[in-house]
Amino acid sequence: MAPFKAHSVLPGFNLALGFTLLYLSLLVLIPLSSLFFKTAILGWDGFWEVATGDRVLASLRVTFVASFAAAVLNAIFGLIVAWVLVRYTFPGKRIVDALVDLPFALPTAVAGITLAMLYAPNGWIGQYFAEHNIKIAYTPLGIVVALTFIGLPFVVRTVQPVLADVEVEIEEAAASLGASRWDVFRRVIFPSIYPALLTGFALAFARSIGEYGSVIFIAGNMPFISEIAPLLIVAKLEQYDYAGATAIALVMLIISFTLLLAINGLQWWSNRREIR
Amino acid sequence: MSSSHQLINNRKIATHESKAVTLVLITVALFYLLLFLGIPLFAVFYEALGKGWALYWAALQDPDAWSAIELTLIAAAIAVPANLVFGVAAAWAIAKFEFRGKSVLITLIDLPFAVSPVVSGLIYVLLFGAQGWFGPWLQEHDIKLIFAVPGIVLVTIFVTFPFIARELIPLMQAQGKEEEEAAISLGASGWQTFWRVTVPNIKWGLLYGVILCNARAMGEFGAVSVVSGHIRGMTNTIPLHVEILYNEYNFVAAFSVASLLALLALVTLLAKSIVEFKVMNNGSRLPHGETE
């Protein structure tokens, strides 16, 4: 059997790894495991009853549909933004590029109250939709707006470096063989950026599933209509229904882990294609 | 002659979009960013200052606002250094040594990013809350973690856990271990090697991680909200204070306090761009793990 660790002249392995494992266990693994133990007390039947309750299923559906819609929007417009930032020059481009990361840096509560105000029926943006009898804030559409904001940087930042690496020589070769610009994009450029696009989509989607702060201000939070799953956890906690809150949290945790594995797989696939 | 002319024309058409398409794409991209980023950012400051400086200052001078600012600074001042030490230790073990289970360890470090903020708060309530595992023991000894400052610090550490490690691990892996091995074989001690060889090599990546970690630590809402108990002047951080003011329809005050966080976001973006610029000019690189 191979030894646990390969020989090295460098010191500090035991200290560094020991500290890493201790810190990881105390702060992440033990707290996370409490979710499983608490649910175990509830029993399988109890868990199933909570997890498949009407209100829980409705909140999961709202969360999924809104996250998917927001991730699709970001995939389409994120690709255009990445393209524009990589391929064109225009005044102020560097500031625009830096601003793309705003949703990573701006606290979610600030985003939440600002978007709620802007998209309210009398808000700067909401009033134009109100004229056509479309309500955005305090409806599921508002959730999509908040999640689009939260997920905006993901597709741009995953596609940007890959698009920058696409070799112009290949495009020139395709063009000189008579391909039109659209053909070159469709047959040469798109296939090489498509794994990155999918990864960015999945990252935005995964982030949206758990999002709380930016959504609750704009959603209206009507049970069965615009109540997201994380909010339902908070609602159960406020009623001291710890078991119920834990059961929903476990469902969400399993969904998140599945997405994390899928994203790791996508990234592996994407890297492999890049190397080829 | 005409055929070669046509070929050049063809190439020109097929390696660049027409002027019209370029213009349309730039317009669409800028409109999208304006709608979702530019207007909201402007609106925060407009709502904060729109009713005049007097109201703005009044909102910031409120004692509850001050205690929220203080608590946010305390939480970040503990969480960021703690995760910095952890990030360096984890990156040293993972990047400089070969051992089994390494990829599992890397995945586990990323776990907190996959967990919803609300769930992050909940797991600490399950551990330390009145009904939690350690709840009875803590009550016996009169220690309060949940609905108190220590709980806020703990969840802040949890949600910012991976930031610095995930910047440093790929960076140190890419740098390899030859320089450290050379230093050791020339007789340097372990700590000397670390401070004089490793730290200068990773300083920009380190700073980059600290900037991102700090922004999240000061801005976290969901997780902190679950463990805070919302006791005004006691366990409110800046984002929670914003929520309370907003829910009381005190919009000017809410946006005034929110503008502090928006300023923090702008400073974060600026610092991040400066680090990226420095790194680009130094010819060294940052592995872009900035996916969260």
Side-chain angles (χ1 to χ4, degrees):
Chain A
M1 194 168 147
F4 169 66
K5 166 185 168 277
H7 175 75
S8 169
V9 295
L10 294 181
F13 176 73
N14 289 338
L15 178 68
L17 187 70
F19 179 73
T20 301
L21 292 178
L22 181 73
Y23 192 82
L24 181 71
S25 305
L26 287 180
L27 282 155
V28 176
L29 300 182
I30 293 174
L32 273 179
S33 71
S34 70
L35 220 48
F36 291 92
F37 287 103
K38 188 81 184 175
T39 314
I41 295 168
L42 200 62
W44 175 253
D45 292 336
F47 169 72
W48 193 247
E49 210 187 305
V50 176
T52 58
D54 284 346
R55 195 168 160 192
V56 174
L57 287 183
S59 75
L60 285 171
R61 194 171 55 235
V62 170
T63 303
F64 268 88
V65 172
S67 300
F68 188 81
V72 168
L73 267 179
N74 273 325
I76 296 166
F77 289 99
L79 177 60
I80 296 174
V81 170
W83 179 271
V84 165
L85 289 176
V86 171
R87 294 290 170 112
Y88 306 144
T89 51
F90 52 89
K93 181 173 141 177
R94 282 187 55 179
I95 295 173
V96 171
D97 196 340
L99 199 66
V100 168
D101 282 331
L102 180 72
F104 288 154
L106 190 72
T108 54
V110 178
I113 64 169
T114 310
L115 292 172
M117 188 210 66
L118 288 174
Y119 285 87
N122 59 351
W124 292 356
I125 301 172
Q127 58 179 317
Y128 298 108
F129 289 93
E131 276 171 18
H132 300 94
N133 280 326
I134 303 170
K135 271 190 79 180
I136 295 186
Y138 320 121
T139 72
L141 279 181
I143 304 178
V144 176
V145 167
L147 295 180
T148 304
F149 173 85
I150 290 301
L152 196 145
F154 289 101
V155 169
V156 181
R157 293 302 187 225
T158 46
V159 171
Q160 229 176 349
V162 180
L163 192 57
D165 279 349
V166 172
E167 282 171 44
V168 182
E169 286 80 359
I170 302 176
E171 288 176 48
E172 282 171 0
S176 69
L177 291 171
S180 74
R181 186 61 186 155
W182 175 242
D183 282 334
V184 172
F185 177 78
R186 207 165 46 103
R187 303 256 181 96
V188 179
I189 302 172
F190 190 74
S192 56
I193 57 174
Y194 150 75
L197 183 66
L198 210 57
T199 306
F201 171 86
L203 285 169
F205 182 70
R207 171 70 209 266
S208 297
I209 294 283
E211 178 55 21
Y212 174 74
S214 60
V215 174
I216 56 163
F217 295 100
I218 199 174
N221 307 325
M222 295 267 292
F224 297 100
I225 296 167
S226 57
E227 184 179 59
I228 53 166
L231 179 68
L232 194 53
I233 296 177
V234 173
K236 297 239 178 226
L237 267 180
E238 279 168 359
Q239 296 157 4
Y240 300 103
D241 179 5
Y242 287 92
T246 310
I248 305 170
L250 188 64
V251 172
M252 293 203 59
L253 194 70
I254 292 167
I255 293 167
S256 306
F257 284 179
T258 314
L259 282 171
L260 183 72
L261 286 179
I263 290 165
N264 280 350
L266 272 174
Q267 268 164 347
W268 176 79
W269 178 49
S270 173
N271 288 341
R272 212 178 52 140
R273 282 178 59 114
E274 243 178 89
I275 291 162
R276 272 197 316 184
Chain B
M1 160 95 187
S2 82
S3 86
S4 81
H5 189 76
Q6 201 186 354
L7 189 69
I8 288 165
N9 239 345
N10 249 344
R11 272 183 56 141
K12 194 155 181 169
I13 289 165
T15 53
H16 293 279
E17 294 77 54
S18 67
K19 270 261 160 56
V21 172
T22 305
L23 211 63
V24 167
L25 287 176
I26 292 180
T27 311
V28 169
L30 290 183
F31 180 76
Y32 188 66
L33 296 179
L34 187 72
L35 188 66
F36 279 100
L37 304 181
I39 294 177
L41 187 60
F42 175 75
V44 176
F45 293 103
Y46 183 86
E47 291 294 317
L49 296 166
K51 301 262 158 63
W53 284 95
L55 282 176
Y56 183 75
W57 283 122
L60 295 189
Q61 279 163 352
D62 181 47
D64 289 343
W66 269 105
S67 74
I69 293 170
E70 202 179 325
L71 181 53
T72 295
L73 292 177
I74 291 172
I78 299 173
V80 175
N83 284 335
L84 175 65
V85 172
F86 162 73
V88 172
W92 180 264
I94 288 169
K96 306 292 178 189
F97 299 93
E98 292 307 320
F99 58 95
R100 274 189 291 146
K102 194 193 260 190
S103 56
V104 176
L105 183 59
I106 295 175
T107 309
L108 288 178
I109 290 172
D110 264 352
L111 265 189
F113 275 162
V115 178
S116 167
V118 171
V119 177
S120 313
L122 172 69
I123 56 178
Y124 280 91
V125 174
L126 292 179
L127 275 188
F128 302 120
Q131 303 187 0
W133 271 356
F134 301 106
W137 187 89
L138 289 171
Q139 259 171 350
E140 256 171 49
H141 295 78
D142 212 20
I143 303 170
K144 212 168 155 98
L145 295 185
I146 298 303
F147 306 143
V149 174
I152 291 174
V153 173
L154 280 173
V155 295
T156 304
I157 294 179
F158 181 91
V159 293
T160 57
F161 190 88
F163 274 105
I164 297 170
R166 72 147 45 191
E167 286 301 327
L168 289 184
I169 292 168
L171 177 66
M172 284 167 70
Q173 275 178 329
Q175 285 172 347
K177 52 192 176 186
E178 287 79 10
E179 289 184 40
E180 280 86 357
E181 282 170 349
I184 293 284
S185 68
L186 290 171
S189 78
W191 286 114
Q192 279 175 327
T193 307
F194 174 73
W195 284 112
R196 300 208 188 147
V197 178
T198 308
V199 171
N201 276 338
I202 62 172
K203 64 179 183 218
W204 292 115
L206 204 68
L207 187 61
Y208 197 81
V210 167
I211 292 166
L212 296 180
C213 182
N214 179 64
R216 180 72 192 267
M218 292 192 170
E220 177 54 26
F221 176 75
V224 172
S225 161
V226 170
V227 298
S228 132
H230 303 271
I231 308 162
R232 255 184 126 125
M234 297 279 292
T235 60
N236 265 343
T237 59
I238 305 178
L240 297 178
H241 190 59
V242 169
E243 182 199 20
I244 289 185
L245 292 170
Y246 185 84
N247 286 342
E248 288 170 349
Y249 300 101
N250 193 350
F251 295 132
V252 174
F255 279 101
S256 299
V257 179
S259 74
L260 292 181
L261 293 171
L263 269 181
L264 170 74
L266 288 178
V267 171
T268 300
L269 292 185
L270 183 69
K272 196 167 154 292
S273 299
I274 291 173
V275 171
E276 279 163 7
F277 183 73
K278 287 262 180 208
V279 166
M280 231 166 53
N281 278 9
N282 284 356
S284 49
R285 60 188 210 99
L286 276 179
H288 271 253
E290 44 164 305
T291 47
E292 289 293 332

